Each structure stands twice: as structure tokens, then as C-alpha cells.
Amino acid sequence: MTQVNDPAPNPHATAEEVKAAFDDPKLANVLYHDWEAGTYDEKWSISYDERCISYATGVFNAVAGEDGQPYPTAMELGSGTGFFLLNLMQGGVIKKGSVTDLSPGMVQVALRNAEKLGLDVDGRVADAERIPYEDNSFDLVVGHAVLHHIPDVRAAFAEVLRVLKPGGRFVFAGEPTKVGDFYARKLGQITWYLTTNLTKLPALTGWRRPQEELDESSRAAALEAVVDIHTFDPSDLESMARGAGGQDVRAVTEEFAAALAGWPIRTFEAAVPQEKLTLRWRLFAYRLWLRLSALDKKLLAKVLPRELFYNVMITGTKRS
């Protein structure tokens, strides 16, 4: 579970580095994700227990099915802290894994998480457009919320197919659709404005985070807008994957009602002191998300165009 000749994390970027990052999406990704690595799991309620194991395997099976499991070897592209790969390993989908990310900080945290879980995982700092593994290395390549950070998505798909073994599969999930990203951002902006202004009222000051923390969150949000490069139309994403040589390509979307509630909830949680978010609140938010996700799957996915949903997932294979 080691990194080989990889750069060290840089969680404390200088003002000059941050300024330069606004004109360099790859540098922005490194700085932002190194900055976020230590608190990323907490920020996004990521865990490595039954809750997230069930979510990860459910998402995977919804787009790729259960055939071929367990995959002997798999790589996660843009792994972050390892959420998707490690939970798929715990769910029996994958035997041996490799985490890769442009951010050294994220690779470091992912390897630490894997070690705590006792999983067989190695890791590399990697540019998705130049993956540092040989041809035909993996049975499976996965990613969660990564494609929208990559400047050249077509080049990344070509690299994914290169490192896959003949007949191997790729699965990417958690990518924002064009329509979904529009309403999610608007809901987040409105919620942030209302929360940060209402908590100025004397009766609600106990719910207000210190101003310096709010300012730091605003700076992080500004850099986040730089690292979020793309949104996708499901049909266009399928065309990209096919253009790179993918076979049996299929995109599926999820989360409409769940996203309409989820983004205001996530934004509210980021705007208030963490000690205010009691176990009762967290259970309420999680159960609401479960109910709305079930509504999306059982009803809304059957009657609404797939372009309206927030997340798009895509899978395909390499020619045998």
C-alpha cells in the first residue's frame, strides 16, 4: 500500500499558487483536493460501512450489472479518498485495487483508509490523460465524480481503454448532467445566501459559523468552480466513450427528487457549525434521501427524460 516516486501533498497553497490555479485547471485540482483531503470524507458524509457499501454496489450494479464479479483487478481513476473503490471491494465486487488521483493528498488518504480496512490496495499520483500503468493492466476501471474534473475527457477515455484488459469494463458514476448541475448550483447558492444571512439575526447567532470559516469556505467554493470543468448530456457522454473505442456503451441517470432536496441540505450543513448537526438531524437527512431516491427509481425514472436527473453513470467494455 505505497506510493512510488510520487510528489508530496501540498495542503497549504500560497496565494500565488491559488492565483495561478484560476488559469490552470490541473493545478486547481491538485491544490483544491490537497486542501480538502483531510476533511473530505466528513464533508460529504463518506463512510466505509454498510451505508456506503450498499450505495456503491447499488450504483455499480444499476449500470453494469453483477456479471463478472468479483473482478480480479481494478483501478479507480480520480479516487479521492477511495470512496468508490474501497466500498466496492468491501461489497465483494473487486478483489485487488489501485487508487489514482492527480492530488497527492487524496492518494495518501485513500491508502490510509485502505490500510485501516485491511484491503489489498496500491496507489499512484496520476494524470487521467496519461495514466502511469501499462497496457492491458486491469479487469475493471471505475471512477466516481471524476470525469467532470478532467480537461480532455476523450483522452481520458482512450487511456482507460488502453489500461483495460481485452474484454475489461469501465464504470463511471456521479457525473453532473447539464440540467442537473444548473438547478443544483442555483439551489446551493440560494441556500448559502439565506443561511449565512439569517444566522446574523440575534436569535440565530448560535447557528452561525465564525466569519473566517465562512470566508475560507467561500474561497474554497471559488476554486471548486474552477475544478468543475464539465457537465454532460448523457448522449454526448456515450458518444465520447464510443469515439475512444468503447463497446456496449450505456449511460443511465439517477437522482431528481433526491437532488432537489439533497443540495440544499448539503449546503445548509456546510454553512452551520458541525456541532449543531445532531444524530437526529443526520438520520432525518439520510432517511429523506433514501425515500426520495426510491421515488426517483420506482416512478420518476419511468416518466421523466433522463436528461433531467442530476447524476449520469456510464459503462462500456474494451473490445475482446
Side-chain angles (χ1 to χ4, degrees):
M1 299 183 187
T2 58
Q3 294 169 243
V4 182
N5 299 321
D6 283 338
N10 177 22
H12 305 293
T14 65
E16 290 76 16
E17 288 172 323
V18 172
K19 183 178 179 180
F22 281 90
D23 297 316
D24 184 343
K26 290 186 180 180
L27 175 60
N29 265 291
V30 173
L31 298 183
Y32 175 76
H33 288 101
D34 273 4
W35 184 4
E36 292 275 278
T39 58
Y40 196 78
D41 285 351
E42 180 182 6
K43 175 182 177 180
W44 293 102
S45 298
I46 291 172
S47 62
Y48 301 91
D49 53 18
E50 186 54 40
R51 178 177 65 89
C52 281
I53 293 170
S54 177
Y55 172 80
T57 55
V59 165
F60 185 95
N61 293 337
V63 67
E66 298 183 36
D67 291 345
Q69 299 182 22
Y71 293 85
T73 60
M75 179 195 75
E76 183 169 9
L77 194 69
S79 63
T81 58
F83 157 73
F84 203 36
L85 181 87
L86 302 186
N87 280 312
L88 289 175
M89 291 181 74
Q90 292 191 101
V93 176
I94 297 162
K95 287 186 176 179
K96 185 182 188 305
S98 299
V99 291
T100 68
D101 200 287
L102 195 61
S103 159
M106 287 294 190
V107 174
Q108 187 179 82
V109 174
L111 289 173
R112 188 164 64 237
N113 286 338
E115 186 172 10
K116 289 178 181 177
L117 296 167
L119 298 174
D120 187 5
V121 176
D122 59 58
R124 293 296 308 273
V125 174
D127 185 331
E129 297 168 16
R130 293 184 296 276
I131 300 172
Y133 288 97
E134 296 181 358
D135 297 359
N136 309 321
S137 293
F138 300 100
D139 301 286
L140 174 69
V141 173
V142 299
H144 192 280
V146 58
L147 297 179
H148 66 283
H149 293 313
I150 301 170
D152 192 339
V153 178
R154 289 177 174 82
F157 270 125
E159 278 290 275
V160 165
L161 288 160
R162 179 185 66 78
V163 301
L164 275 174
K165 296 176 182 179
R169 178 174 294 279
F170 62 83
V171 174
F172 291 97
E175 300 299 336
T177 64
K178 291 183 181 296
V179 176
D181 182 74
F182 174 78
Y183 61 69
R185 287 189 184 276
K186 289 298 181 185
L187 288 169
Q189 290 166 0
I190 292 168
T191 305
W192 182 267
Y193 175 83
L194 289 175
T195 305
T196 55
N197 280 279
L198 287 174
T199 52
K200 292 178 181 178
L201 298 173
L204 296 175
T205 53
W207 284 82
R208 186 172 179 82
R209 287 174 60 186
Q211 188 61 45
E212 59 270 20
E213 292 183 10
L214 292 174
D215 291 342
E216 185 174 2
S217 292
S218 295
R219 288 194 298 272
L223 197 55
E224 186 175 22
V226 179
V227 304
D228 290 345
I229 302 172
H230 306 288
T231 57
F232 300 103
D233 177 275
S235 297
D236 291 344
L237 192 59
E238 289 171 332
S239 296
M240 287 184 198
R242 291 192 186 104
Q247 307 290 307
D248 305 316
V249 174
R250 182 173 74 106
V252 177
T253 56
E254 63 171 3
E255 290 198 17
F256 178 68
L260 290 176
W263 278 98
I265 287 172
R266 291 186 191 111
T267 306
F268 169 77
E269 291 176 343
V272 303
Q274 290 301 298
E275 60 269 19
K276 293 292 186 180
L277 303 176
T278 62
L279 177 60
R280 184 176 180 180
W281 164 264
R282 294 186 185 278
L283 287 174
F284 158 76
Y286 177 55
R287 288 167 180 163
L288 177 63
W289 179 84
L290 286 177
R291 293 188 185 99
L292 294 178
S293 294
L295 175 66
D296 288 332
K297 292 173 185 176
K298 294 177 181 179
L299 176 61
L300 298 183
K302 298 176 182 178
V303 298
L304 295 178
R306 65 178 183 170
E307 291 80 8
L308 291 182
F309 290 75
Y310 177 73
N311 282 327
V312 59
M313 310 173 286
I314 188 166
T315 190
T317 60
K318 180 175 180 176
R319 189 189 302 274
S320 296

